[in-house]
Amino acid sequence: DKWESALWIMNADGSKNRFLVKGSSARWSPDGTRILYLAEGEPKDNQIFVRWMDAEGATSQITRLLKSPTNPQWSPDGRSIAFVAFVPHERTWEIGMPEPPEGAKWTKEPRVVEDLHYRFDRRGFTEHGFLHLFVVTADGGTPRQITSGEWTVGSIFEGPPANATYDWTPDGTALVFEGVKDESWDAVYDRSHLYRVSVATGAIQQITSEPGLWADPAVSPDGRSIAFIGFPTTSDTYALERLWVIGMDGSGMRQLAPTLDRPLSDVHWAPDGSGVYASVRHHGTANIRFVPLRGDVRRVTDEVQMLSLESIANDRDLTAVGVRTDFDEPGDVVRLSLRRGGATTQLTDVNGDLLANKRLGDVEELWYTSSDGTRVQGWLVRPPGFDPSQKYPMIMEIHGGPFSMYTVSFDFRYQTFAANGYLLLYTNPRGSTGYGEMFSKAIDFRYPGVDYDDLMAGVDAAIAKGIVDTTRMYVGGCSGGGVLSSWVIGHTTRFAAAAVRCPVMNWMSMAGQSDIPFFTHSFFHKPFWEDPQPWLEQSSLMYVGNVTTPTLIMTGELDLRTPMPQSEELYVALKMRGVPTKLLRFQEEYHGTGSKPSNNMRTLLYMMKWYDQWGGEQAKAAAEEGGGRP
């Protein structure tokens, strides 16, 4: 009952596509003779493996660590492998306890907590500790710890070790990484710097000087510059991560493409060092852009798609590979020329056999006007065999974040609801990314706020099409979507039922329960002990007296981001008021309810059963008449 990854290999034209080995995170050695990858090893959990890519295909387990390594990268000469790993660091407090009597088994001493770094620890680590860089020879051996001390590689806010980013210098003598070095650990979440560490000596040099959240460093081909993303420290709830460049010695830091007011990722230097390529998110899509060190941004692709940029070859066409998805196509590997631009060439068809005999629901783009004349984008998924003369029940799903965006990618959940006779509405209200920094900042210090206006305007826009049964409308969402779906039912009675998942109900208690206390506090001008009024006004729990909507609540029992007590507060309040409700406590789940395949299926089926129970039976009948469930 877990998601498993496997490595496949094919020729660059897509031919001879075949299974290679179980594992993930494959990277070619610089000379192309080997790959490194992560796979289940001894001791348990992921370890680093190296496989020779000749006919023999000999494979060696390189690491044998008690804490799984993450984000492995080859050194430029292929002789070493760097990686990030968790280093336990238990705090102690001596109190002069007597020795236990012979044969006695005393309870283990309490864990000593004296800083907010504990919040980072609560994300799933069983011990207090820090993330550090290691290097091991590519033939195997004893890993050598490069960074050490009471600080961490990566940022406090980024979370899992896999998100800790770094890059080798071209000469292989140093690693450039993002890190947080603050002995008090009482810093705001957006404080990190770029550092350079000597592989030979462990000596560390701080590169950036301005406080901020600086991440994803990529060293230029000549080793003189570093491209990275981030933003200066701010008191705002949201700041857009921009693209920057800085000298290896910390000089000349400047922002590239200041007018590029969109989130970006997958930053890769052009082989000639003239600029960087990146995947840029805009209006629900992701396309490749070239950002020169001097001059204007150039569009490489411009399609209704989500396209990542994984790797670039230094050939005549600057051939690149990535993963592409759209409304009808799950992710597949594609090839394109960065030099010539234009359309992608699809190399795989992973789900072609699965979808060959399935009818998908058509997806219609919606642009509509909300409060203050703001234009908002959304999409409406129609059931297969849609009949425009009929009216259908409609589900509105709300995304989390809140600083994220719905995209044009294939979504199995939405197609499942559509196949069962529902219209599915999803929108990017203010607070979403991909529409400019000011659009995202519209909910600064007022969340929920105008995003609720945008959601209701989206419902009205869908109703205006004359295909929605307004007596059978439903609303749901997880995390940030849980915040807003719980807010919705406290401010309107137009929905027949709700599925509120992993919500925040009470910002005051959330500030002391969640693993992101700094982020929670950033939504308000002052801490609640100085001014509790805004904290109460923005808490959905304060409007539970208005709720009449039958509400299903679902949260993981191990959730540290929006902990179970938040859901319990909603459940108890609804039960006391006599509102129909159920609380589902998902076992072995952290944030969200679908990290395990069984729970992923349960989430969909419980939601469908709840909606069917409150007027959705006709949707089931419509689906059966139109060809049955998927």
Side-chain angles (χ1 to χ4, degrees), residues 138 141 148 174 199 302 316 362 372 395 483 514 519 537 539 563 610:
S148 60
V199 173
D302 200 19
R316 179 185 301 176
D362 292 332
D372 302 328
I395 300 169
V483 173
S514 175
F519 188 61
E537 290 178 351
S539 294
W610 187 252

Side-chain angles (χ1 to χ4, degrees), residues 506-509 511 520-522 524-529 531-539 542:
N506 181 343
W507 288 111
M508 293 174 72
S509 58
T520 301
H521 277 268
S522 74
F524 302 94
H525 287 286
K526 296 180 180 179
F528 60 80
W529 51 86
D531 185 7
Q533 191 63 29
W535 292 70
L536 296 173
E537 290 178 351
Q538 300 307 123
S539 294
M542 301 306 295

Side-chain angles (χ1 to χ4, degrees), residues 466 485 570:
S485 56
L570 173 60

Side-chain angles (χ1 to χ4, degrees), residues 155-233:
S155 72
I156 296 176
F157 191 58
E158 286 186 333
N163 291 340
T165 56
Y166 67 95
D167 196 13
W168 285 89
T169 57
D171 61 8
T173 63
L175 297 166
V176 175
F177 65 96
E178 56 168 317
V180 178
K181 189 173 184 178
D182 187 330
E183 294 181 358
S184 72
W185 285 101
D186 293 332
V188 293
Y189 73 87
D190 59 349
R191 181 181 298 174
S192 65
H193 281 289
L194 297 186
Y195 297 89
R196 172 189 171 121
V197 59
S198 167
V199 173
T201 67
I204 293 178
Q205 170 194 355
Q206 182 174 316
I207 298 174
T208 53
S209 57
E210 182 176 4
L213 181 63
W214 311 120
D216 297 333
V219 181
S220 63
D222 62 8
R224 297 179 179 177
S225 302
I226 304 164
F228 59 102
I229 62 173
F231 55 84
T233 297

Side-chain angles (χ1 to χ4, degrees), residues 124-169:
F125 298 133
T126 57
E127 302 169 274
H128 187 281
F130 305 91
L131 301 177
H132 285 294
L133 283 166
F134 292 76
V135 169
V136 63
T137 60
D139 296 328
T142 302
R144 182 166 58 90
Q145 186 172 337
I146 304 300
T147 61
S148 60
E150 294 190 25
W151 62 299
T152 197
V153 174
S155 72
I156 296 176
F157 191 58
E158 286 186 333
N163 291 340
T165 56
Y166 67 95
D167 196 13
W168 285 89
T169 57

Side-chain angles (χ1 to χ4, degrees), residues 330-579:
D332 272 301
V333 179
V334 297
R335 184 185 72 237
L336 71 151
S337 168
L338 296 179
R339 194 178 301 281
R340 290 185 286 109
T344 59
T345 300
Q346 184 173 327
L347 302 181
T348 63
D349 189 19
V350 178
N351 291 284
D353 59 337
L354 177 68
L355 297 177
N357 63 340
K358 296 292 188 294
R359 290 187 301 167
L360 297 177
D362 292 332
V363 183
E364 176 188 1
E365 182 183 43
L366 295 176
W367 280 95
Y368 58 90
T369 302
S370 181
S371 58
D372 302 328
T374 299
R375 294 281 289 165
V376 179
Q377 185 184 28
W379 296 268
L380 189 64
V381 187
R382 293 177 166 137
F386 171 77
D387 182 350
S389 67
Q390 294 188 16
K391 292 184 182 294
Y392 293 83
M394 184 178 74
I395 300 169
M396 179 174 68
E397 267 289 296
I398 308 172
H399 72 62
F403 305 114
S404 63
M405 76 173 184
Y406 275 133
T407 71
V408 299
S409 59
F410 180 88
D411 196 300
F412 172 80
R413 299 168 301 165
Y414 300 167
Q415 290 293 341
T416 299
F417 286 126
N420 284 274
Y422 289 93
L423 294 165
L424 196 290
L425 173 68
Y426 57 107
T427 76
N428 283 329
R430 275 171 283 186
S432 301
T433 55
Y435 302 86
E437 188 169 21
M438 296 313 297
F439 189 92
S440 302
K441 283 180 174 290
I443 62 170
D444 268 357
F445 312 118
R446 193 68 183 174
Y447 171 60
V450 292
D451 42 0
Y452 170 76
D453 298 342
D454 297 351
L455 293 169
M456 293 303 100
V459 172
D460 293 338
I463 292 173
K465 293 185 171 294
I467 57 175
V468 178
D469 182 346
T470 57
T471 67
R472 293 186 293 151
M473 298 194 304
Y474 309 93
V475 62
C478 178
S479 192
V483 173
L484 282 169
S485 56
S486 63
W487 183 269
V488 164
I489 60 176
H491 288 76
T492 181
T493 59
R494 69 193 305 185
F495 294 96
V500 176
R501 310 188 302 281
C502 37
V504 176
M505 296 303 303
N506 181 343
W507 288 111
M508 293 174 72
S509 58
M510 170 77 172
Q513 295 167 352
S514 175
D515 64 344
I516 50 170
F518 286 129
F519 188 61
T520 301
H521 277 268
S522 74
F523 283 112
F524 302 94
H525 287 286
K526 296 180 180 179
F528 60 80
W529 51 86
E530 293 183 8
D531 185 7
Q533 191 63 29
W535 292 70
L536 296 173
E537 290 178 351
Q538 300 307 123
S539 294
S540 298
L541 192 66
M542 301 306 295
Y543 306 94
V544 75
N546 301 332
V547 177
T548 59
T549 307
T551 303
L552 176 65
I553 310 165
M554 295 186 277
T555 298
E557 289 201 324
L558 305 178
D559 195 330
L560 304 172
R561 182 59 46 87
T562 55
M564 181 62 73
Q566 292 293 311
S567 293
E568 292 171 336
E569 290 186 37
L570 173 60
Y571 172 74
V572 170
L574 292 179
K575 291 298 286 187
M576 293 180 68
R577 294 199 62 251
V579 177

